[in-house]
Amino acid sequence: MDLRHFLMCLSLCTAFALSKPTEKKDRVHHEPQLSDKVHNDAQSFDYDHDAFLGAEEAKTFDQLTPEESKERLGKIVSKIDGDKDGFVTVDELKDWIKFAQKRWIYEDVERQWKGHDLNEDGLVSWEEYKNATYGYVLDDPDPDDGFNYKQMMVRDERRFKMADRDGDLIATKEEFTAFLHPEEYDYMKDIVVQETMEDIDKNADGFIDLEEYIGWQAYQGGDC
């Protein structure tokens, strides 16, 4: 297909790839914007450019010559073509857009994985995570900054156990991703709700009153 046809197809896929009904979960998690540019293909394909590459990656393309841009785009298209038949299907394009927009999640997991897989066995146990994250404060019940690290550790352990689907307290990379980014996994929704309730319900009475809700919204910098 020619470039304009490809971009028009991309525009349609962008509209569907990450669309979903508005849920109350949006109060605790917002999908990143596909682009901060206006989505108007009559003016330009800049929005689709960001959606296809990811906003940060798209910026690097702006510095390339047309020849360099074409060469790099060709390499990306070969990655999108999952079945290697020489054609990019709508489903393959939608999958790629989802990947491009969630690339920051995968990068965050890779970065944290290296710091927590202490024995480099390709797994992260709860003990490894606890020691890497809290080891230096566990012996100090009253840290100088007044932050309750032990309470935070209890909360992390609860979330780790929820992410650990086989219950062995050892996380695969997929389980570790669910632990770090529970909002991305359906089976972790209960823990997202529970943690959000705990954050808002300051008097711990099991209810959220108007004052608590407004206070939380003000802290989040959002609109009520």
Side-chain angles (χ1 to χ4, degrees), residues 78-89 92:
S78 68
K79 294 179 181 178
I80 301 172
D81 181 19
D83 57 12
K84 306 303 179 185
D85 65 351
F87 297 92
V88 173
T89 66
E92 286 173 334

Side-chain angles (χ1 to χ4, degrees), residues 111-193:
R111 178 178 59 80
Q112 296 211 45
W113 185 266
K114 294 175 182 177
H116 292 97
D117 181 14
L118 302 181
N119 62 4
E120 299 182 349
D121 65 346
L123 299 166
V124 173
S125 69
W126 166 247
E127 286 300 314
E128 283 180 312
Y129 180 83
K130 180 178 69 173
N131 291 333
T133 306
Y134 298 104
Y136 70 101
V137 296
L138 290 178
D139 296 329
D140 185 1
D142 299 304
D144 293 337
D145 59 9
F147 193 83
N148 192 334
Y149 287 100
K150 289 190 175 181
Q151 183 177 356
M152 187 175 178
M153 184 178 69
V154 169
R155 180 161 157 158
D156 271 357
E157 184 176 11
R158 182 182 62 196
R159 188 198 288 189
F160 193 97
K161 288 179 177 178
M162 177 71 76
D164 176 31
R165 304 196 79 168
D166 57 10
D168 62 358
L169 287 180
I170 299 175
T172 63
K173 186 164 288 187
E174 184 73 11
E175 290 170 334
F176 193 64
T177 304
F179 167 68
L180 294 177
H181 300 280
E183 69 280 355
E184 300 295 332
Y185 291 81
D186 287 343
Y187 80 96
M188 296 292 289
K189 284 183 178 179
D190 286 348
I191 205 72
V192 173
V193 173

Side-chain angles (χ1 to χ4, degrees), residues 32-54:
Q33 292 289 326
L34 291 178
S35 173
D36 59 4
K37 298 181 175 65
V38 176
H39 193 190
N40 186 343
D41 294 332
Q43 296 180 2
S44 75
F45 291 109
D46 288 344
Y47 181 97
D48 307 295
H49 193 215
D50 284 359
F52 178 65
L53 297 169

